[in-house]
Amino acid sequence: RLLPVIVLSLEKLPDDALIDREGLVAANADAVVVLQHASATKCTPAPFATELGPACIDASRIDKQLVAGMATALGGLLPPHVRPSPRSDERHVEEWLWSEGAHPFSPFNDETALSPLLQDVATRHYQLARLSRVVENVEGASEMVAGFASRHLPPHVLVEVADSMMDVFWHDPSRSGVPVKPHEVVQGLEGSMRQVVEELGELRVQLHHSSKDDLERLSKLSAGLVVRSERLLIDTKAALADAERGLRCCRVQHSAVGGSSVFLSWALALFVLAAWACLRAFSQRPRKARVD
């Protein structure tokens, strides 16, 4: 994807002009913004202090800030000294003992590269983002199938209805071809979604127990799974649209009962009454006791 990187190279800025009063870079998933003091000295005061005195930032260099911003935007990395807060009233917790090291997030060093550990974390974040995309696609397909089922299938007869009974309900001798059966559409799409979900579960377990050498192989698997989930979403939408068009032609019509139908109805009713009378008379007939 394209990531906008904006460098604000400005002259005649105050020496203490910083972004959010802390640094020279701001980044999120959509863009990276870097502030450069074009006419600054090598030491721009930072709101931090060390044992040797106030910390300084070289505001004329932007390579360190660019690496830090892109690591945050593309890899989802946080500075090692920052972690999410368990409390709802705090955004994050800072532990500055972890600010030193091979990373460009600290105001106390001039490092412009990521350590192997942070590279591994960024790669795993990327895999998790792919898995999250797969989950979103499967949930979208599931919601479409659930909406279709709620419109065309009773809740208590969703997919457990026998095919023979559904054939009786949907049989129309005047029509050519096989009509659309909502339960078959739902069953077919559920099978496709179940296969993607099973692959997602297996990939999640492999990623949890993977080493650094396995990440390249898992990256290919996750990329393929994303493509299949996107195809699942497209195929589900197309299949439901076709089923809706097939069901749109069908409607229930009620007609008045004709002469032959009236005769058959009365004959059936008389037969049922006669059978009930015979059974009742037989059940009330006295029985003789048998003595051995």
Side-chain angles (χ1 to χ4, degrees):
R1 64 189 178 91
L2 297 178
L3 177 67
V5 178
I6 304 171
V7 178
L8 303 177
S9 183
L10 305 176
E11 296 183 354
K12 298 181 180 180
L13 285 175
D15 292 340
D16 58 349
L18 302 172
I19 297 178
D20 292 336
R21 299 181 180 181
E22 289 188 2
L24 298 172
V25 60
N28 57 21
D30 300 321
V32 176
V33 178
V34 176
L35 178 62
Q36 181 184 26
H37 291 214
S39 59
T41 60
K42 189 173 182 179
C43 182
T44 297
F48 310 103
T50 66
E51 296 178 353
L52 302 177
C56 294
I57 301 176
D58 188 354
S60 62
R61 293 179 54 189
I62 61 172
D63 50 353
K64 175 182 176 180
Q65 282 73 31
L66 287 174
V67 173
M70 289 188 289
T72 300
L74 298 177
L77 295 180
L78 288 175
H81 59 274
V82 176
R83 60 181 176 84
S85 173
R87 298 177 54 181
S88 59
D89 57 341
E90 295 180 353
R91 294 179 55 187
H92 57 262
V93 177
E94 297 177 348
E95 181 57 59
W96 289 95
L97 292 176
W98 294 95
S99 61
E100 286 288 354
H103 59 83
F105 299 101
S106 175
F108 309 118
N109 60 30
D110 293 327
E111 186 68 43
T112 59
L114 295 175
S115 65
L117 178 60
L118 290 180
Q119 294 177 23
D120 183 82
V121 172
T123 304
R124 293 179 185 275
H125 283 178
Y126 195 61
Q127 304 305 320
L128 292 176
R130 285 179 172 177
L131 299 186
S132 177
R133 182 64 177 273
V134 173
V135 172
E136 292 177 359
N137 292 336
V138 173
E139 288 180 348
S142 178
E143 290 177 359
M144 288 191 292
V145 173
F148 175 84
S150 65
R151 291 191 299 271
H152 300 286
L153 289 175
H156 58 285
V157 194
L158 187 56
V159 293
E160 300 297 334
V161 182
D163 289 341
S164 59
M165 185 63 69
M166 292 299 295
D167 291 337
V168 173
F169 290 158
W170 288 81
H171 181 67
D172 186 358
S174 63
R175 296 181 57 191
S176 60
V178 180
V180 178
K181 300 177 183 179
H183 72 291
E184 292 183 354
V185 176
V186 172
Q187 286 176 339
L189 294 175
E190 283 183 343
S192 301
M193 287 188 291
R194 187 177 298 110
Q195 182 179 2
V196 174
V197 170
E198 290 176 355
E199 294 181 8
L200 176 64
E202 294 176 359
L203 185 58
R204 180 190 63 82
V205 174
Q206 294 182 34
L207 183 62
H208 181 73
H209 297 285
S210 65
S211 62
K212 184 179 179 180
D213 298 333
D214 298 329
L215 291 179
E216 184 176 356
R217 177 181 61 85
L218 295 179
S219 178
K220 296 179 180 179
L221 294 177
S222 63
L225 189 58
V226 170
V227 173
R228 286 194 293 275
S229 67
E230 296 282 357
R231 174 55 57 183
L232 171 67
L233 193 61
I234 296 174
D235 292 345
T236 300
K237 186 176 181 179
L240 294 180
D242 292 341
E244 292 281 1
R245 284 193 294 268
L247 293 170
R248 196 176 302 157
C249 67
C250 308
R251 61 184 182 275
V252 178
Q253 294 181 345
H254 301 276
S255 59
V257 180
S260 60
S261 299
V262 172
F263 175 76
L264 292 176
S265 300
W266 279 107
L268 181 61
L270 291 175
F271 174 77
V272 173
L273 289 175
W276 176 78
C278 292
L279 290 175
R280 183 176 177 82
F282 181 79
S283 62
Q284 294 179 354
R285 183 179 178 181
R287 298 181 181 180
K288 296 181 180 180
R290 181 178 178 181
V291 179
D292 294 334

